[in-house]
Amino acid sequence: MRLKDLPEEELFLQGSAACQGCPGSMALRVAFKALGRNTLLVVIASCISVLQSPFPVSALDLPVLNMAFASGGAVASGISAAVRRLKKRGVFTEEPTVLVWAGDGGTYDIGIQALSGAAERNTNFIYVCYNNEAYSNTGTQRSGATPYAAWTTNTVSGKQEWRKDVAQIMVAHNVPYVATASLAYPMDFYQKMQKAKSIPGTKYIEILAPCPPAWKFPSEATVQVSRLAVQSGLWLLYECENGHTHYTSGTARLIEGRSSAKPVEEYLRMQGRFRHLFSPEKDEKRVGEIQERISGIVESLKFTAKMREHIMDLEIMPRP
Ligand SMILES: Cc1ncc(C[n+]2csc(CCOP(=O)(O)OP(=O)(O)O)c2C)c(N)n1
Ligand SMILES: [Mg+2]
């Protein structure tokens, strides 16, 4: 299946209040194509609330519940229970998909408790975190997803901590499906959304969402920045089904040695939020730390993949 084969029906309408190059709207457009009209959407306070709520110019052509920051997992649990009951009563011919759409602030920081509870109960819903690595809607404050050394309004000389990894926290919840995605690989994202729709239980998908005003790059470069994040090895594309992880698209190519990782500097230099790492002179220490961390992860994944191949060649374990 190719991009041109995607369903033509648009559930994300034209003329929204989004900024130019908004990654959230691009992601929603693809996600809606994968899930279709029979979807109940819960939007958590974020930039997407701004696209969704101002009547009569809502950009989302789906039933939407606009909810408070902390409540994504809890609201989904209620809706999912109602759907189950209505299904028992025979109200639906086809069961609707329950979709929560939240930012990184609403996921990494404020909504993690409700999300964790819903995941532990294996509530039947899809949770998408579009991760623009800051509280963008309120003017770019740091979140738990903000990367090391990035500028935000409250990390003016660069964040001092490394970001946490909520996708891996969700893997640790033993939910049936966790995946990461990128706007530069829309078919990969589309297929992951479709797969999530077909699996009962909790599904968590996180898409990196480079935000032009918060990350300070030209609005036409959203996809380019997304692609560089993957090509440098900084953003890993994978899916984890019932505890088994496999890497996809650009990340699979890196790990299998079919492409070599681009220097992360190329990615960092495109964004004004990292300008202090290169001006007035290059901050070798911090740029080096970031590169070292990424290279370490990519090399260990390559090593693991080689070992796996080797073990399978020895026929100690069956090929998947
Ligand atoms: C309890 C609460 N605190 C603060 C806010 C104000 N607020 C609305 S959106 C937002 C930022 C959300 O950040 P994130 O979840 O990363 O989404 P983004 O804005 O980046 O799309 C904040 C702080 C709120 N709506 N509710
Ligand atoms: Mg955000």
Side-chain angles (χ1 to χ4, degrees):
M1 192 176 182
R2 305 221 308 256
L3 206 51
K4 67 176 177 51
D5 303 319
L6 290 184
E8 281 182 19
E9 188 181 28
E10 296 291 353
L11 298 170
F12 186 87
L13 305 173
Q14 291 182 358
S16 76
C19 304
Q20 285 183 352
C22 170
S25 9
M26 290 185 208
L28 277 168
R29 195 171 165 217
V30 176
F32 288 173
K33 282 178 186 284
L35 300 184
R37 191 171 278 286
N38 195 18
T39 302
L40 303 174
L41 176 62
V42 179
V43 169
I44 299 307
S46 63
C47 289
I48 305 306
S49 320
V50 179
L51 312 189
Q52 175 267 314
S53 55
F55 183 80
V57 289
S58 170
L60 312 185
D61 196 10
L62 283 174
V64 186
L65 212 54
N66 203 352
M67 287 313 297
F69 234 154
S71 62
V75 174
S77 299
I79 298 177
S80 179
V83 164
R84 203 169 57 234
R85 175 57 68 94
L86 291 173
K87 190 181 168 196
K88 257 193 196 156
R89 284 201 211 146
V91 173
F92 300 125
T93 41
E94 196 195 333
E95 193 179 326
T97 303
V98 180
L99 171 66
V100 173
W101 196 276
D104 50 296
T107 305
Y108 277 61
D109 303 336
I110 296 168
I112 194 163
Q113 183 270 339
L115 170 62
S116 174
E120 192 272 329
R121 295 187 296 272
N122 200 21
T123 301
N124 186 23
F125 76 125
I126 303 176
Y127 189 106
V128 174
C129 169
Y130 75 104
N131 177 4
N132 54 23
E133 301 185 332
Y135 291 72
S136 286
N137 188 237
T138 40
T140 320
Q141 292 80 32
R142 101 196 255 296
S143 79
T146 303
Y148 176 65
W151 167 92
T152 63
T153 53
N154 43 15
T155 56
V156 286
S157 52
K159 191 180 167 188
Q160 292 185 9
E161 301 80 21
W162 298 92
R163 77 168 184 103
K164 62 178 162 179
D165 188 340
V166 169
Q168 285 301 305
I169 293 175
M170 294 311 289
V171 168
H173 279 71
N174 297 312
V175 294
Y177 190 72
V178 176
T180 56
S182 159
L183 292 167
Y185 303 85
M187 291 312 297
D188 180 77
F189 178 43
Y190 178 82
Q191 280 156 2
K192 285 169 176 168
M193 288 302 294
Q194 274 207 322
K195 191 182 271 188
K197 183 182 173 178
S198 72
I199 297 172
T202 300
K203 289 80 58 174
Y204 177 84
I205 298 186
E206 182 165 331
I207 183 158
L208 186 68
C211 169
W215 296 20
K216 303 193 182 304
F217 61 81
S219 53
E220 69 275 16
T222 306
V223 173
Q224 196 186 346
V225 173
S226 300
R227 188 173 298 115
L228 270 173
V230 174
Q231 288 175 333
S232 63
L234 181 139
W235 185 252
L236 299 173
L237 295 177
Y238 61 86
E239 53 185 359
C240 180
E241 257 183 284
N242 297 317
H244 296 285
T245 299
H246 95 269
Y247 293 87
T248 62
S249 294
T251 302
R253 281 195 282 283
L254 273 187
I255 293 173
E256 290 158 16
R258 286 184 281 138
S259 62
S260 43
K262 294 203 169 177
V264 74
E265 192 171 328
E266 211 176 305
Y267 170 78
L268 300 175
R269 277 189 186 275
M270 281 197 73
Q271 305 166 49
R273 66 176 174 156
F274 294 112
R275 196 176 50 208
H276 51 281
L277 297 183
F278 301 101
S279 165
E281 62 202 28
K282 186 171 161 187
D283 184 337
E284 300 282 357
K285 182 175 174 287
R286 282 195 284 180
V287 175
E289 281 172 342
I290 297 168
Q291 184 61 67
E292 201 179 312
R293 186 171 270 244
I294 294 170
S295 303
I297 292 169
V298 172
E299 285 313 310
S300 77
L301 291 175
K302 279 183 174 174
F303 179 76
T304 312
K306 267 202 194 115
M307 287 300 287
R308 234 176 103 96
E309 267 304 306
H310 186 58
I311 290 169
M312 282 194 283
D313 283 346
L314 292 174
E315 294 182 349
I316 297 169
M317 77 188 223
R319 283 187 179 273

